[in-house]
Amino acid sequence: MKKDIVLCGVGGDGIVSVAKIISDAALNMGMNLKQSEIHGMSQRGGSVFSHLRLSDDEIFADVIPEGKADIILSSEPMEALRYLPWLCKEGWVITNSDPFVNIKNYPEIEKVHAELGKLNHVVSFDANEIAKQLKARSNMVLLGATVPYLGIDMAKIEEAIAHIFGKKGQEVVDLNIQAVRAGYAQATGK
């Protein structure tokens, strides 16, 4: 198995935590991985992105070439559009539909959604609203919506959540797992 994932969003949205969980699950499956540094403005509200490469085989570079990403996971719809050049023809975009309007010239959200709607494989939904209902974080909801396209079992993702958040207590672990399951249900209808 091989998956090349571009994670993108704005600083403070939890993209780093999502990458850690996916990485932990992949390592526990015996996979190889490489991750680029988080680039961009890591303070709250600044644009950030990272490349995460998973494979059963050796990985030689940490940067995904343009047109080769299997998944773009975005916490914000305009950021998903920004990284479309990296997406392969059959790749998936999983994005929060709720914008984080942090610049004066943010495009009309209807136009952003129309561009996303042109894609063959997109899962776009209001992850913030689901997270709000659960009193959870939207990054975990988006992670759950990505699981069907990762090639990693949900059980491995849940184990990684327990490993990474275990020191914060079982309540935190359970809440994050509930959020991931809600995102999975959103993406699969199950």
Side-chain angles (χ1 to χ4, degrees):
M1 182 188 88
K2 177 196 82 64
K3 290 290 177 187
D4 287 335
I5 307 161
V6 173
L7 300 106
C8 57
V10 294
D13 271 352
I15 292 298
V16 174
S17 295
V18 169
K20 283 182 184 178
I21 293 165
I22 294 170
S23 297
D24 193 76
L27 287 172
N28 287 334
M29 292 174 57
M31 297 180 75
N32 297 303
L33 73 91
K34 287 201 185 260
Q35 182 178 359
S36 70
E37 299 175 13
I38 300 292
H39 296 277
M41 302 293 289
S42 60
Q43 83 259 6
R44 182 166 296 282
S47 178
V48 295
F49 78 96
S50 180
H51 292 194
L52 179 58
R53 306 187 82 185
L54 313 172
S55 180
D56 293 328
D57 297 321
E58 189 172 359
I59 303 168
F60 295 101
D62 58 354
V63 177
I64 301 167
E66 283 192 25
K68 299 295 184 181
D70 300 296
I71 298 170
I72 294 176
L73 169 57
S74 179
S75 65
E76 202 282 330
M78 188 179 73
E79 293 299 321
L81 291 179
R82 182 188 314 265
Y83 294 98
L84 282 182
W86 276 265
L87 191 65
C88 72
K89 188 175 181 178
E90 293 302 315
W92 282 86
V93 172
I94 293 85
T95 186
N96 191 349
S97 63
D98 189 28
F100 184 83
V101 181
N102 57 348
I103 56 174
K104 291 179 185 178
N105 61 345
Y106 194 100
E108 293 177 34
I109 193 60
E110 295 79 16
K111 290 182 179 179
V112 173
H113 289 303
E115 286 301 312
L116 287 169
K118 294 177 183 177
L119 301 173
N120 291 329
H121 302 106
V122 64
V123 176
S124 177
F125 65 99
D126 191 343
N128 293 343
E129 182 58 33
I130 293 171
K132 182 179 171 183
Q133 291 172 9
L134 297 172
K135 295 184 173 83
R137 299 273 322 265
S138 61
N139 65 327
M140 302 309 285
V141 176
L142 287 165
L143 170 59
T146 307
V147 170
Y149 313 102
L150 283 175
I152 298 174
D153 287 343
M154 178 65 88
K156 292 294 183 188
I157 295 292
E158 291 179 6
E159 286 173 20
I161 290 168
H163 178 248
I164 290 168
F165 293 109
K167 290 181 182 176
K168 294 184 177 188
Q170 192 60 44
E171 187 176 325
V172 172
V173 170
D174 292 344
L175 180 60
N176 283 310
I177 289 173
Q178 183 182 14
V180 167
R181 288 178 180 172
Y184 183 89
Q186 182 69 38
T188 63
K190 298 178 184 177

